[in-house]
Amino acid sequence: MRDAYQEQMVALNALLGEMCDTVGREMESATQALLDADLERAEQVISDHDGFAARSAEAEEMAFELLALQAPVAGDLRNIVGGFQLVAEIDRMGALALHVAKVARRRHPARVLPEEVAGYFVEMGRLAVELAHSAHHVLQSQNPEDALTLLEDDDAMDDLHRHLFTVMMDRDWQHGVTSAVDVTLLGRYYERFADHAVSIARRVVFQATGKTPEQLKEAS
């Protein structure tokens, strides 16, 4: 029984890791569609999302099977409940990449991003992909130290998001309200994508130790 539980948990974490890579690729493609006003790429992200949703449903089903068939207790139960939460976090990351692609499609053939802010989104897109890959690594390793490192990696995204607002609030902004709204929403999508990657790391820390990252730091 214990061996079966371990095998199923490994399989679930492997699937969750693959989903992290998928949302990273989706965000990478959505970012390129945004920067290049590439309608074909945006449409591809949107159409591919159905396949991701099917994988998400598969991961949920695996977690339900663990809950129903393995009669988990204590730490095992914590891991399975955490699995449900991880599915939700990754699912939301996929939805945010989808939102970016839909903005690019909605504004086509115009470019969504004024030149003054395009560079911010190049870097935010790069960081988003990096965080998604880091989340995969954390899920694979189940190492709290790796997870704590990912928590720190989110700071760069937060800094970019803050600086983005200084550009839009400058008196020299000449792109109107509609552009400002688009840029504000898009910046929020990338920030939230990073936040969900951080939440994955936090949940892995809790699954592995039964403590939050803050409690671990206090204990060290």
Side-chain angles (χ1 to χ4, degrees):
M1 181 72 76
R2 183 69 185 172
D3 288 344
Y5 164 78
Q6 292 288 0
E7 289 175 4
Q8 287 179 277
M9 277 303 303
V10 168
L12 175 58
N13 284 327
L15 177 54
L16 293 172
E18 291 173 12
M19 289 168 61
C20 284
D21 283 344
T22 298
V23 297
R25 289 193 299 270
E26 286 187 353
M27 184 57 95
E28 185 175 35
S29 291
T31 301
Q32 285 303 310
L34 190 68
L35 293 166
D36 300 335
D38 187 335
L39 180 61
E40 183 177 352
R41 191 182 290 265
E43 293 283 11
Q44 189 67 54
V45 173
I46 293 165
S47 62
D48 286 350
H49 190 71
D50 287 343
F52 171 77
R55 297 292 276 172
S56 180
E58 180 183 348
E60 277 196 342
E61 184 63 28
M62 289 175 70
F64 275 120
E65 287 181 3
L66 277 163
L67 192 61
L69 300 179
Q70 299 298 338
V73 295
D76 293 348
L77 181 60
R78 182 176 68 227
N79 288 341
I80 295 172
V81 172
F84 285 111
Q85 295 169 327
L86 288 166
V87 173
E89 299 286 0
I90 303 169
D91 195 58
R92 188 57 188 151
M93 291 167 77
L96 290 162
L98 182 65
H99 291 338
V100 173
K102 286 183 175 180
V103 172
R105 181 177 69 176
R106 185 169 66 247
R107 298 301 182 201
H108 184 81
R111 290 182 183 273
V112 179
L113 302 174
E115 187 175 344
E116 295 96 315
V117 299
Y120 286 90
F121 285 92
V122 171
E123 185 62 10
M124 291 170 83
R126 185 192 69 78
L127 285 171
V129 174
E130 189 175 287
L131 286 165
H133 289 325
S134 294
H136 181 179
H137 175 70
V138 166
L139 286 165
Q140 187 175 46
S141 73
Q142 293 292 300
N143 186 329
E145 293 300 322
D146 293 339
L148 291 172
T149 298
L150 192 156
L151 295 178
E152 296 172 1
D153 291 342
D154 180 49
D155 292 344
M157 184 71 84
D158 290 337
D159 288 343
L160 283 166
H161 190 241
R162 282 193 296 269
H163 291 158
L164 184 62
F165 274 93
T166 66
V167 176
M168 288 190 298
M169 295 301 291
D170 192 281
R171 67 181 64 184
D172 293 329
W173 180 263
Q174 299 176 354
H175 305 286
V177 174
T178 299
S179 180
V181 169
D182 281 342
V183 171
T184 299
L185 285 174
L186 287 163
R188 181 62 172 161
Y189 295 155
Y190 284 88
E191 183 201 30
R192 290 300 298 151
F193 187 96
D195 287 346
H196 286 293
V198 166
S199 292
I200 290 170
R202 293 181 65 87
R203 295 190 191 285
V204 168
V205 169
F206 186 72
Q207 285 180 340
T209 67
K211 297 179 180 179
T212 66
E214 292 77 15
Q215 289 170 330
L216 276 184
K217 289 178 181 178
E218 288 176 4
S220 63

